């Protein structure tokens, strides 16, 4: 069976609690695909809906009943709507206020593939990871251990990176070969940008508080002489790649993020040695991440929308914001509100350059219908509406980009207002009373987003009406 049914070439951004504007932890990822449009939905999986038996659709791998633990937690999810290739739950926050995103497609090299090949038959992958991990963990650290256990026991057929967060910690884990893995805790005052390459660099095997890995990883490195460095361990050097494709497809995205947070950042877009752990010169906001996930090398010679650069420059590097963004999330675990309000899943559909992110509370049992996408075109659903907006906007970014900028700023402000008012109004509520109020707030935010986006589309149609080529006027 072809296991590469859905390319998921994403961009991950992670932020520690002391690096964020409001003291929250944040893990974000754009879920990107290939040329086929892949509709994405937003649902809550309640405990009774969690499968009691599991078999992967893509690989056929069956999960032992002992690994489907009793009493699963409720969790949010952004699955593929069709389900024909499996669930692909992608990201969510569970009832213990633990966030997970999976996965970032990453690279490898021939040395580790010779020793621990990716599986040709069976194994788990992006299709499965959230469904088999998120409902069974109560901390980010537990998430790393459970996913690591699943990788060792069942193996994988692809190289992937995943992230976990709770109110205190952010962790990033990467698969290595068919059955190995390594993870690093992100320092509280740091951020990470992880494009589609193996990203973890510096690694300390004697520091379990901040680093974890499969039990025999160090022995594997030493036994087979895998470490090219004379001092220390750099997992990107040992297990990763440094190819021409990395220099054009992956590294420039990291470079642009670093330049955004530090305008004195040194180096070139293609540099292979850009660090995994980085420190911003300012506190990082949700709005910063939103801009970066929709960025396309603005104010550089590599912007595809530039009117002054060459055709070759426009196509030189892969931007973060791209037509193949189908769903993007920022999983925010807040520390300045009551526990029942801490989990917020900022969610945007379609090309991030032309959408808006909505801050949905995850302590709910259902989601708004306009964000529960159908497989076919339906303009009463935000996924499809955003696709139409983006494809029109791309034809004249100067004209439509100005309209979108006003739309995004005003809509985000209105959504923030609903969130902050709700935080204050429900501060003393718990249990089902709290969940009911949060569901009402989510519905209000979904309705507002639909109304504002429909109004944007109307303004775009009015602005573009006289710009059509197929026109004739006696006064022309």
């Amino acid at each position: 069976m072809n296991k590469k049914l859905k390319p998921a070439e994403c961009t991950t951004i992670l932020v520690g609690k002391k690096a964020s504007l409001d003291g929250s932890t944040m893990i974000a990822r754009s879920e990107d695909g290939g040329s086929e449009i892949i509709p994405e939905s937003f649902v809550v999986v309640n405990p009774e809906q969690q499968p009691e038996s599991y078999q992967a659709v893509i690989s056929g791998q069956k999960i032992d009943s002992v690994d489907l633990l009793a009493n699963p937690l409720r969790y949010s999810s952004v699955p593929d709507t069709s389900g024909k290739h499996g669930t692909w739950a992608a990201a969510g926050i569970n009832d213990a206020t633990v966030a997970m995103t999976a996965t970032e497609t990453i690279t490898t090299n021939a040395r580790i593939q010779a020793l621990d090949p990716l599986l040709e038959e069976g194994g788990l992958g992006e299709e499965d990871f959230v469904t088999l991990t998120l409902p069974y963990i109560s901390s980010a650290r537990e998430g790393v251990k459970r996913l690591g256990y699943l990788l060792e026991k069942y193996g994988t057929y692809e190289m992937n990176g995943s992230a976990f967060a709770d109110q205190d910690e952010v962790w990033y884990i990467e698969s290595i070969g068919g059955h190995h893995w390594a993870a690093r805790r992100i320092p509280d005052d740091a951020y990470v940008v992880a494009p589609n390459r193996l990203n973890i660099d510096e690694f300390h095997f004697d520091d379990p508080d901040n680093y974890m890995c499969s039990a025999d990883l160090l022995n594997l490195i030493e036994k087979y002489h895998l470490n090219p460095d004379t001092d220390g361990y750099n997992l990107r050097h040992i297990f990763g790649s440094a190819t021409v494709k990395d220099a054009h497809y992956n590294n420039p995205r990291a470079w642009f993020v670093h330049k955004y947070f530090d305008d004195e950042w040194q180096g070139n877009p293609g540099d292979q040695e850009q660090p995994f752990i980085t420190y911003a010169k300012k506190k990082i906001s949700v709005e910063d991440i939103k801009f970066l996930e929709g960025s396309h090398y603005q104010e550089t010679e590599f912007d595809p929308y530039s009117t002054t650069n060459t055709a070759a420059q426009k196509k030189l590097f892969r931007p973060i914001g791209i037509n193949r963004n189908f769903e993007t999330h920022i999983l925010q675990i807040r520390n300045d509100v009551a526990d029942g309000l801490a989990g917020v899943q900022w969610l945007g559909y379609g090309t991030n350059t032309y959408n808006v992110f909505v801050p949905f509370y995850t302590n709910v049992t259902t989601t708004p219908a306009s964000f529960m996408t159908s497989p076919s075109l339906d303009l009463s659903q935000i996924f499809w509406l955003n696709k139409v907006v983006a494809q029109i906007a791309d034809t004249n970014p100067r004209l439509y980009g100005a309209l979108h900028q006003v739309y995004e700023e005003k809509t985000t402000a209105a959504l923030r207002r609903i969130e902050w008012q709700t935080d204050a109004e429900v501060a003393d509520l718990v249990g089902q009373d709290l969940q009911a109020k949060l569901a009402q707030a989510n519905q209000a935010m979904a309705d507002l987003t639909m109304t504002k986006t429909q109004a944007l589309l109307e303004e775009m149609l009015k602005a573009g009406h006289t710009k059509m080529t197929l026109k004739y006027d006696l006064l022309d």
Side-chain angles (χ1 to χ4, degrees):
M1 178 178 290
N2 179 13
K3 294 179 179 178
K4 296 299 180 183
L5 294 169
K6 177 188 172 186
E9 299 171 335
C10 315
T11 306
T12 294
I13 299 175
L14 314 174
V15 182
K17 62 184 179 181
K18 292 182 180 179
S20 69
L21 184 63
D22 63 356
S24 62
T25 60
M26 293 186 285
I27 59 176
R29 182 173 61 89
S30 62
E31 187 179 5
D32 307 340
S35 58
E36 175 189 358
I37 294 176
I38 304 172
E40 307 287 347
S41 192
F42 177 47
V43 301
V44 171
V45 181
N46 292 295
E48 64 273 15
Q49 297 169 307
Q50 179 68 4
E52 296 181 359
S53 61
Y54 188 91
Q55 182 172 3
V57 173
I58 292 176
S59 69
Q61 179 69 57
K62 292 183 179 180
I63 300 300
D64 295 339
S65 58
V66 68
D67 294 324
L68 296 169
L69 308 177
N71 302 316
L73 298 173
R74 184 190 70 246
Y75 61 102
S76 58
S77 167
V78 279
D80 286 7
T81 294
S82 74
K84 61 183 179 180
H85 301 314
T87 303
W88 295 77
I93 300 174
N94 71 16
D95 199 19
T97 322
V98 180
M100 177 183 183
T101 182
T103 65
E104 180 78 26
T105 305
I106 61 173
T107 56
T108 185
N109 62 48
R111 293 185 298 275
I112 184 59
Q113 285 303 307
L115 295 170
D116 184 14
L118 296 174
L119 275 61
E120 295 290 337
E121 300 292 336
L124 302 176
E126 182 172 352
E127 171 202 341
D128 316 291
F129 286 163
V130 171
T131 301
L132 294 176
T133 304
L134 188 55
Y136 305 115
I137 59 175
S138 59
S139 71
R141 191 176 293 263
E142 279 188 19
V144 171
K145 292 178 179 178
R146 176 164 174 84
L147 183 54
Y149 163 80
L150 293 172
L151 287 168
E152 291 184 46
K153 180 172 181 177
Y154 296 103
T156 184
Y157 48 83
E158 57 190 11
M159 291 285 291
N160 281 320
S162 304
F164 297 90
D166 54 34
Q167 287 179 302
D168 292 318
E169 297 187 335
V170 176
W171 282 85
Y172 180 74
I173 175 175
E174 293 183 319
S175 62
I176 297 173
H179 295 87
H180 291 82
W181 60 275
R184 183 170 180 182
R185 182 180 184 272
I186 312 308
D188 292 343
D189 57 347
Y191 77 90
V192 162
V193 53
N196 303 118
R197 62 173 298 174
L198 197 141
N199 290 284
I200 298 176
D201 48 20
E202 178 183 347
F203 198 87
H204 296 278
F205 289 93
D206 58 353
D207 183 5
D209 289 338
N210 296 292
Y211 302 83
M212 290 189 281
C213 63
S214 42
D216 63 337
L217 192 65
L218 178 57
N219 180 66
L220 186 77
I221 294 170
E222 302 293 2
K223 180 178 180 180
Y224 292 98
H225 314 292
L226 301 180
N227 188 4
D229 298 325
T230 58
D231 183 40
Y233 296 91
N234 183 314
L235 298 193
R236 193 186 302 165
H237 294 170
I238 297 170
F239 299 116
S241 63
T243 64
V244 172
K245 180 179 179 180
D246 289 327
H248 286 260
Y249 195 87
N250 294 319
N251 305 338
R253 283 180 275 161
W255 169 83
F256 187 79
V257 172
H258 296 322
K259 289 287 287 184
Y260 175 82
F261 287 130
D262 180 0
D263 57 11
E264 297 179 352
W265 184 266
Q266 300 298 309
N268 299 308
D271 287 349
Q272 302 284 9
E273 295 297 333
Q274 297 181 56
F276 177 62
I277 301 297
T278 322
Y279 300 88
K281 287 190 173 180
K282 66 171 186 175
K283 299 286 188 179
I284 298 172
S285 69
V286 166
E287 288 81 2
D288 289 325
I289 299 175
K290 167 60 171 73
F291 168 78
L292 290 168
E293 290 287 9
S295 64
H296 45 87
Y297 305 112
Q298 290 95 318
E299 305 301 319
T300 77
E301 63 267 39
F302 312 116
D303 187 350
Y305 285 153
S306 172
T307 59
T308 60
N309 61 3
T310 67
Q313 287 173 319
K314 291 180 181 182
K315 295 294 184 182
L316 192 58
F317 300 135
R318 191 270 210 203
I320 299 175
I322 199 169
N323 65 316
R324 297 185 280 111
N325 303 142
F326 291 125
E327 169 273 318
T328 304
H329 48 268
I330 305 171
L331 306 179
Q332 181 184 28
I333 309 298
R334 302 186 292 172
N335 281 297
D336 59 349
V337 294
D339 289 346
L341 302 172
V344 175
Q345 185 157 351
W346 293 79
L347 181 61
Y349 287 145
T351 304
N352 293 323
T353 311
Y354 298 113
N355 65 10
V356 69
F357 284 10
V358 184
F360 288 120
Y361 294 98
T362 56
N363 184 17
V364 292
T365 59
T366 188
T367 54
S370 59
F371 279 74
M372 300 172 73
T373 310
S374 60
S376 302
L377 177 67
D378 183 342
L379 293 184
S380 69
Q381 297 170 344
I382 193 67
F383 177 91
W384 292 108
L385 189 60
N386 280 352
K387 286 297 297 177
V388 172
V389 165
Q391 287 187 224
I392 294 175
D394 188 66
T395 65
N396 193 332
R398 178 168 292 186
L399 173 65
Y400 299 126
L403 293 174
H404 178 269
Q405 183 177 354
V406 174
Y407 151 81
E408 183 175 348
E409 183 174 323
K410 290 187 174 181
T411 305
T412 301
L415 292 168
R416 283 277 199 183
R417 191 174 302 113
I418 293 173
E419 181 189 26
W420 287 340
Q421 289 174 344
T422 302
D423 285 349
E425 291 170 359
V426 305
D428 297 327
L429 298 180
V430 295
Q432 293 182 350
D433 292 339
L434 174 60
Q435 290 177 338
K437 288 293 186 180
L438 297 183
Q440 289 178 13
N442 284 355
Q443 187 63 56
M445 290 190 284
D447 292 345
L448 183 146
T449 303
M450 281 296 301
T451 299
K452 295 287 189 182
T453 308
Q454 288 167 343
L456 170 65
L457 180 58
E458 182 177 353
E459 290 299 312
M460 292 171 66
L461 293 174
K462 291 177 180 178
H465 172 67
T466 61
K467 305 296 183 183
M468 292 179 64
T469 301
L470 191 64
K471 63 179 181 178
Y472 185 84
D473 193 302
L474 290 174
L475 299 179
D476 285 347

